[in-house]
Amino acid sequence: SFYLTTKNNLNPILADTENDAAVFSLIYDSLIYLEKDLSITPQLAKSCTVSSDSSSISFALRDDVFWHDGEKFTAEDVKYTIETIKSTGAGCIYYDSLSAVSSVEIVDDYNFTLTLTGPYARIVNYLDFPIIPAHNFSINESPMGTGKYKFAENHQSGGMILIMTYGNAGTNVAELQIFKEAGSFVSRC
């Protein structure tokens, strides 16, 4: 079961528990996915290259990804997400993960470079935070990601209903309902 404890905000950057992060991971993809054995699987990032002096990392993004509203996913979304996390401060569970990032430079729609405050070998392991769209300013009320589940509606219980989508075609295949019960949220399929 999934439990959602962030009751008043549906922005994944403001998630305050790992349970919230697990629910949001159904809606939002990350640059990478950190497997249980700690191996890294590319998700929105296709590849990355560390500079010879380890002061920066250049990323190539997938060019076949769309937001649930049909807009293309681009490097602007990654920059927006990182800047939002850094400006949110220590109240964000992803803030410490980005402490070594000093800037984000967009090269083009599908390439960007992270400049680091100094060499930091494990930085890629910490890039498993949800990427949010730069163009959706109502994300706090109506989450929109690139993940397998699309936000459908708020449920009368205070929970939400998610619809599974197949690829970017948006074909509905399953519905996941997250209800509020006894002060917590639980999922039912």
Side-chain angles (χ1 to χ4, degrees):
S1 292
F2 293 102
Y3 298 89
L4 184 66
T5 59
T6 302
K7 297 172 180 67
N8 298 322
N9 194 320
L10 298 175
N11 184 334
I13 300 306
L14 302 176
D16 50 11
T17 69
E18 288 185 27
N19 287 330
D20 293 351
V23 171
F24 289 130
S25 72
L26 299 171
I27 301 171
Y28 298 92
D29 289 325
S30 302
L31 290 172
I32 58 103
Y33 179 76
L34 198 58
E35 302 286 350
K36 288 180 183 180
D37 66 359
L38 302 181
S39 63
I40 296 172
T41 301
Q43 200 168 30
L44 294 172
K46 255 188 335 191
S47 63
C48 67
T49 306
V50 179
S51 65
S52 60
D53 64 356
S54 300
S55 65
S56 65
I57 305 173
S58 296
F59 287 85
L61 300 173
R62 290 177 43 203
D63 61 3
D64 62 345
V65 178
F66 294 84
W67 293 101
H68 293 149
D69 67 354
E71 293 285 325
K72 291 281 282 183
F73 159 75
T74 68
E76 184 63 41
D77 299 308
V78 176
K79 181 176 182 173
Y80 175 76
T81 301
I82 291 171
E83 289 176 349
T84 300
I85 290 171
K86 290 181 77 62
S87 70
T88 301
C92 174
I93 63 173
Y94 307 107
Y95 180 75
D96 289 339
S97 300
L98 295 175
S99 61
V101 175
S102 64
S103 67
V104 182
E105 178 191 344
I106 296 174
V107 177
D108 60 35
D109 281 351
Y110 302 105
N111 293 280
F112 72 95
T113 301
L114 293 180
T115 301
L116 307 176
T117 56
Y120 189 53
R122 298 182 45 89
I123 186 69
V124 176
N125 295 38
Y126 295 113
L127 300 178
D128 63 340
F129 50 84
I131 302 298
I132 59 174
H135 70 280
N136 181 12
F137 299 109
S138 64
I139 195 168
N140 294 337
E141 297 86 32
S142 181
M144 181 182 55
T146 57
K148 292 180 183 174
Y149 282 87
K150 178 180 178 179
F151 176 81
E153 63 185 89
N154 284 312
H155 191 271
Q156 63 205 21
S157 71
M160 65 176 120
I161 297 175
L162 306 178
I163 304 294
M164 181 181 261
T165 59
Y166 178 72
N168 289 320
T171 307
N172 297 340
V173 241
E175 181 178 284
L176 176 66
Q177 297 181 1
I178 301 174
F179 295 101
K180 181 179 180 182
E181 291 181 2
S184 295
F185 287 78
V186 288
S187 65
R188 293 209 177 95
C189 294

